Amino acid sequence: MARRVMSEKYNDSCLRIFALIKMFVESDAPFAEVIKLFADENGNLTQKCNVTLNKYMNTLDLCGIKVKKRKNKYYLQKMPYSIHLNEHELYAVSLMKSAMSFLPKGKVKTSLVTFIQDLELRYDRNTKNLNKVVASTRNFNLSFYFMQFEKQITQCENYCQEKNKLDLSYVGEEAKVVNIVCVPEEIIYTDDIVCLRVYESLTRQNIDIPIDKITNINVLEAKDNSAEKVCTSVIFTLKGNLAKSYKLRDWETLESKNSDGSITVCNRGEDFQALSIRLFKYQDNCVVEAPKYLKNNIKKLINNTLKNYS
Amino acid sequence: MKEFNKTNTVTYNLMSFTGFKSLLLFSLLAKGPQTNAQIQAAFKNHEYLKEDIAGDTLRVYINSLRRVGCVIERKKGKYVMLSHPFELSISQEQIRAIIKIYRIILNTLDVSDIFEYEKFVRKLISHTNNSDLKEALDRVSVFKNVDTALVQDLIKYCAKKRKITILYNSPRSSEKDIQVIANKLGISQGKIYLYGVSLEYNQDSSYLLSRILKVLSVDIKNDNMPDLKPVTVGYELSKTAQNTKLTDEDRIVEITDNGILVETTTTNLFMTKRKLLEFGPLCTVLYPDDFREDFISTLKRMQKEYSDG
């Protein structure tokens, strides 16, 4: 039956079948809710409602939209809209599933599980068939890298979410135990090392601590309440060809281009130790200008290395 | 349904024909823009319908689809469905998870794997029109501002160790042709490099991908491969550095009182020097003599830079 509203005509059946699909898409729909769609104008449920619902369910089935009923609930098994993925894209999905095990339990992980389910629900027939082949031939496993730290990673991820300040001890340079009060930021994955990045407000720096070097963590009651963290800036000068070819990182800014061809760079937020190692590699083409204590650290690093040859 | 299974004939008792037609129209538009004639033909040729659809009736169906949330426009004589309520949607939490995974694999997997993942996420962006996901991916992407076709080609050439000529925008000598045996693509400090053997210097070299303008030629025969003369460098790593990951070129030759004695084979002493500098005081270069002397000279020059200040 077509109705006229203003100048626009539309179909009741069309509206109703899409309302039915929407119910199935949004969640697993209980029969008691679904049948209400077919109530008469006064909201009464009659025997006719069941007949009409069956007709609509048959319609969906003939259109390839698969819905299963279990324990008085309807479960959508195939969407009205399908997506085609090729072998490479399915591989990326399997990679996503494997890497998911490194996400902490919580909203983010749960939402990703839902996302993958939503995606798989939309696979067209070819994608579904291909997926069986990909799943059996390209078994992707990331556990090789980080599984040994899985518990620690999960724990640290939780700290990062909760944002409580931590009283943390770790084994630092020259095997000395370092104790700091810090705010957990995020988990950093570099090569086969997993680090907990923390912000230490005392020295105003981000520190990347390898997870296996952490010896003790006490969660403090105080929450991180700083609206904005200000990291100490590191200023360094680059010379020669390096000055010409250097590509600024996202967390770096160009302070000045100097008359001798050198450039001065300001770095904020990079772990000091990682930064020192990186700048050390640039040899005499790089000089740290500030802060003074980092400059002194680099000097010490050079002198200690030279001692090996005296 | 039993009746249909028995007779394979669809009747009004069995289903909602109007509902069926609106779903058919929806699926046609989901495949792509459709002209009036194409829609007519699809209805006429459909095994259950086999009927014409009048222009007025089609408009009623289109209006109904719009009413349920489909955005449909008429462009150049075609009905185009720009969006619909059953599209894949991505929440902010899901964006965080997708990007988190990108960061995890960025430093652990091969460039080809990361490339596959990024292409897939970009496909999700195009399916969902999600600008937040695009912005988040652009922030972490190592392929941003990189020619993806070039990446694809280089992955292929590296797998076959092809001898290729690249046009390289060198910071020292501007654009120049470089012949290289492609070995692998790798990521260092958030940037992609092509690693291979430079035929100009007969040594291992690395080239920043964003500076490779294009591949000029590919030698599929791999003729006239260079005669490399690798150098063996020996160094001692102190005990506190022993957790450090050694590369394929490194091998432990002795466990000493202070740590371990390692030998590495290289054709590029410049890159080796940079690698060993990373260890700082935990590493002592032992041989060959000329490399050891060069290493000490470098440290002395560095010391001078700081003493001048």
Side-chain angles (χ1 to χ4, degrees):
Chain A
M1 184 202 300
R3 284 185 185 171
R4 183 181 284 274
V5 177
M6 302 293 280
S7 59
E8 179 199 271
K9 279 185 178 178
Y10 62 93
N11 254 306
D12 264 350
S13 301
C14 174
L15 264 50
R16 201 177 284 176
I17 202 153
F18 276 94
L20 184 64
I21 300 169
K22 268 187 185 173
M23 274 187 111
F24 295 149
V25 170
E26 280 160 14
S27 64
D28 304 329
F31 172 78
E33 291 299 313
V34 174
I35 197 73
K36 282 182 191 168
L37 272 180
F38 301 93
D40 65 19
E41 287 170 357
N42 300 319
N44 297 323
L45 297 172
T46 61
Q47 186 58 35
K48 199 182 159 196
C49 300
N50 287 308
V51 176
T52 317
L53 171 61
N54 277 340
K55 277 174 72 169
Y56 276 74
M57 297 305 290
N58 286 343
T59 310
L60 294 183
D61 194 45
L62 286 168
C63 288
I65 301 167
K66 303 295 173 200
V67 183
K68 273 202 173 172
K69 191 179 172 191
R70 275 197 309 267
K71 293 182 181 172
N72 259 340
K73 266 191 171 184
Y74 290 97
Y75 298 87
L76 187 64
Q77 308 249 294
K78 190 175 179 300
M79 290 286 287
Y81 166 69
S82 58
I83 292 176
H84 178 75
L85 299 186
N86 62 28
E87 188 190 336
H88 300 285
E89 290 156 351
L90 285 170
Y91 171 64
V93 177
S94 78
L95 195 157
M96 195 181 257
K97 283 182 184 172
S98 303
M100 200 160 63
S101 59
F102 298 103
L103 296 178
K105 281 176 192 163
K107 273 186 188 173
V108 172
K109 187 168 187 167
T110 314
S111 70
L112 192 66
V113 172
T114 312
F115 173 74
I116 292 172
Q117 281 170 353
D118 281 356
L119 183 68
E120 289 179 339
L121 208 59
R122 288 168 168 82
Y123 285 176
D124 65 12
R125 191 182 297 168
N126 288 342
T127 307
K128 276 187 177 169
N129 290 337
L130 192 59
N131 193 34
K132 287 176 195 161
V133 180
V134 171
S136 63
T137 55
R138 295 187 77 170
N139 190 11
F140 187 85
N141 189 3
L142 258 176
S143 61
F144 170 76
Y145 295 97
F146 304 122
M147 203 50 104
Q148 54 180 324
F149 302 126
E150 194 186 4
K151 271 188 184 169
Q152 291 98 316
I153 293 172
T154 310
Q155 189 61 56
C156 289
E157 286 278 11
N158 290 335
Y159 294 143
C160 295
Q161 278 181 0
E162 287 159 9
K163 287 281 176 198
N164 278 64
K165 286 189 177 176
L166 304 176
D167 177 0
L168 186 150
S169 306
Y170 66 97
V171 180
E173 279 179 75
E174 296 168 6
K176 285 178 188 162
V177 176
V178 182
N179 186 259
I180 54 170
V181 173
C182 57
V183 178
E185 292 288 316
E186 60 177 321
I187 304 288
I188 306 277
Y189 297 84
T190 53
D191 295 328
D192 57 352
I193 301 169
V194 196
C195 296
L196 172 65
R197 171 167 287 185
V198 297
Y199 175 76
E200 193 197 19
S201 49
L202 188 69
T203 54
R204 296 200 303 174
Q205 63 166 315
N206 285 331
I207 307 173
D208 297 341
I209 307 166
I211 274 190
D212 58 328
K213 301 285 181 199
I214 297 173
T215 54
N216 191 41
I217 294 181
N218 287 323
V219 181
L220 304 176
E221 280 190 14
K223 288 259 180 196
D224 168 36
N225 52 10
S226 52
E228 196 180 335
K229 293 181 184 69
V230 183
C231 289
T232 304
S233 302
V234 177
I235 309 291
F236 57 89
T237 300
L238 299 173
K239 302 188 300 180
N241 284 322
L242 186 62
K244 287 183 204 163
S245 61
Y246 188 76
K247 201 175 169 190
L248 292 170
R249 273 55 175 173
D250 289 343
W251 50 92
E252 288 178 341
T253 50
L254 182 66
E255 287 295 290
S256 62
K257 278 186 178 181
N258 310 319
S259 55
D260 59 353
S262 65
I263 57 169
T264 304
V265 176
C266 175
N267 178 304
R268 282 187 196 91
E270 191 166 342
D271 171 76
F272 279 7
Q273 200 185 349
L275 178 64
S276 302
I277 290 171
R278 179 159 74 84
L279 301 185
F280 206 61
K281 280 197 305 188
Y282 299 153
Q283 304 164 31
D284 53 329
N285 283 319
C286 173
V287 178
V288 174
E289 311 288 353
K292 203 172 177 185
Y293 66 86
L294 188 67
K295 186 174 180 168
N296 288 337
N297 273 356
I298 300 261
K299 271 188 200 177
K300 202 172 132 189
L301 201 60
I302 298 168
N303 292 337
N304 287 344
T305 311
L306 266 171
K307 273 184 197 164
N308 292 345
Y309 302 94
S310 57
Chain B
M1 205 62 190
K2 281 178 192 164
E3 183 188 342
F4 170 73
N5 288 336
K6 213 168 165 183
T7 62
N8 205 28
T9 307
V10 177
T11 70
Y12 284 94
N13 294 333
L14 184 69
M15 62 186 281
S16 158
F17 260 83
T18 313
F20 185 82
K21 285 176 202 168
S22 50
L23 281 172
L24 175 63
L25 181 60
F26 173 83
S27 65
L28 284 171
L29 294 175
K31 280 180 193 159
Q34 305 283 334
T35 61
N36 216 326
Q38 284 170 322
I39 295 169
Q40 292 280 356
F43 274 70
K44 182 86 181 163
N45 299 328
H46 195 281
E47 57 178 324
Y48 301 153
L49 300 178
K50 297 187 179 91
E51 64 179 39
D52 291 318
I53 180 166
D56 282 351
T57 315
L58 177 59
R59 274 193 292 279
V60 172
Y61 279 108
I62 295 283
N63 282 341
S64 306
L65 289 181
R66 283 180 178 140
R67 206 174 174 88
V68 296
C70 302
V71 178
I72 301 168
E73 283 184 6
R74 196 93 196 262
K75 282 181 182 171
K76 294 178 184 170
K78 286 185 174 183
Y79 287 106
V80 185
M81 187 155 70
L82 300 174
S83 67
H84 59 79
F86 307 112
E87 277 171 347
L88 195 64
S89 62
I90 304 178
S91 68
Q92 288 300 322
E93 266 144 8
Q94 287 165 341
I95 291 175
R96 275 202 289 281
I98 290 167
I99 298 302
K100 182 96 198 166
I101 288 171
Y102 192 97
R103 287 185 175 181
I104 292 174
I105 64 170
L106 192 59
N107 292 300
T108 49
L109 296 186
D110 287 345
V111 169
S112 56
D113 294 321
I114 302 158
F115 187 59
E116 304 259 3
Y117 186 77
E118 171 144 351
K119 275 202 304 183
F120 169 67
V121 178
R122 298 240 174 248
K123 179 164 180 166
L124 289 179
I125 292 168
S126 73
H127 264 277
T128 56
N129 276 329
N130 192 314
S131 57
D132 289 346
L133 178 57
K134 186 180 180 304
E135 278 172 27
L137 179 64
D138 283 346
R139 275 198 294 276
V140 293
S141 171
V142 285
F143 298 103
K144 197 174 60 175
N145 305 327
V146 166
D147 178 358
T148 50
L150 178 69
V151 178
Q152 216 143 7
D153 286 345
L154 288 174
I155 288 171
K156 211 166 52 192
Y157 302 144
C158 288
K160 295 189 172 171
K161 307 282 180 238
R162 290 278 186 238
K163 186 160 71 178
I164 59 175
T165 306
I166 55 174
L167 180 60
Y168 193 70
N169 183 16
S170 164
R172 295 181 203 180
S173 45
S174 69
E175 286 183 20
K176 63 184 280 195
D177 297 0
I178 295 176
Q179 268 201 319
V180 58
I181 297 167
N183 186 14
K184 66 169 186 179
L185 290 177
I187 296 172
S188 175
Q189 305 283 347
K191 290 181 285 185
I192 309 176
Y193 289 86
L194 167 67
Y195 294 96
V197 178
S198 152
L199 296 182
E200 187 179 358
Y201 301 108
N202 272 7
Q203 65 175 22
D204 292 324
S205 302
S206 61
Y207 304 92
L208 192 61
L209 188 73
S210 57
R211 291 192 176 276
I212 300 175
L213 303 177
K214 61 180 167 180
V215 176
L216 296 170
S217 65
V218 183
D219 182 352
I220 53 168
K221 291 179 189 164
N222 275 7
D223 284 342
N224 304 319
M225 296 300 265
D227 180 23
L228 300 177
K229 294 186 175 62
V231 176
T232 300
V233 172
Y235 60 94
E236 190 178 51
L237 271 185
S238 85
K239 279 178 181 166
T240 45
Q242 281 183 37
N243 289 337
T244 308
K245 189 184 169 192
L246 298 176
T247 62
D248 292 345
E249 293 77 32
D250 299 321
R251 65 179 201 283
I252 299 171
V253 289
E254 196 182 329
I255 296 172
T256 63
D257 292 342
N258 298 326
I260 51 171
L261 177 61
V262 184
E263 277 189 354
T264 189
T265 311
T266 179
T267 60
N268 189 328
L269 288 168
F270 175 77
M271 282 161 81
T272 304
K273 185 161 72 176
R274 283 180 61 142
K275 178 178 121 177
L276 298 186
L277 276 169
E278 272 190 41
F279 295 123
L282 304 178
C283 166
T284 310
V285 175
L286 302 174
Y287 52 83
D289 285 345
D290 49 354
F291 180 67
R292 182 182 153 99
E293 288 310 315
D294 178 52
F295 199 83
I296 296 169
S297 305
T298 303
L299 286 166
K300 283 183 176 167
R301 283 200 308 274
M302 290 165 75
Q303 191 181 43
K304 190 169 178 292
E305 286 294 333
Y306 283 93
S307 61
D308 286 352

